[in-house]
Amino acid sequence: MTAVPAHAADEDPPPPAFGAHCRVITEDSEVTGVCHNPYPEPDHVRLHLRCAAWWDLDTDGPAREIGPARTVKLTGRCWQAVDTAWVSHAR
């Protein structure tokens, strides 16, 4: 029989694994995000772009749902150059 420390019994279990694995590829002014969800819960991903020029519009793409064992491709662009690009996740 194994004894469980008192404090371990009171702790909440860790949350289930969540979040698609995403790669963001920038080529000149175009950005591609490729996301794969290895988990059983769906993930809603969005591609966000911040453009380098002050006059170029930053964009937040529409949310796309990725079901279990699915892959999606997200695309976006700036007119001139991309400063930063990332993917956000939501349940």
Side-chain angles (χ1 to χ4, degrees):
M1 179 171 179
T2 305
V4 177
H7 70 281
D10 294 338
E11 293 178 10
D12 292 331
F18 170 79
H21 301 281
C22 299
R23 276 189 347 207
V24 177
I25 303 156
T26 303
E27 294 179 10
D28 299 322
S29 62
E30 297 184 6
V31 177
T32 303
V34 179
C35 299
H36 176 74
N37 183 10
Y39 302 112
E41 186 176 340
D43 186 3
H44 296 82
V45 294
R46 294 178 72 170
L47 180 64
H48 305 273
L49 301 179
R50 297 297 170 252
C51 301
W54 64 268
W55 49 263
D56 206 346
L57 296 177
D58 299 336
T59 58
D60 299 315
R64 298 269 314 269
E65 180 177 285
I66 308 176
R70 298 295 224 180
T71 300
V72 298
K73 182 177 177 181
L74 310 167
T75 60
R77 64 170 291 136
C78 292
W79 283 101
Q80 193 170 49
V82 177
D83 183 35
T84 57
W86 69 96
V87 175
S88 64
H89 303 265
R91 289 186 186 263

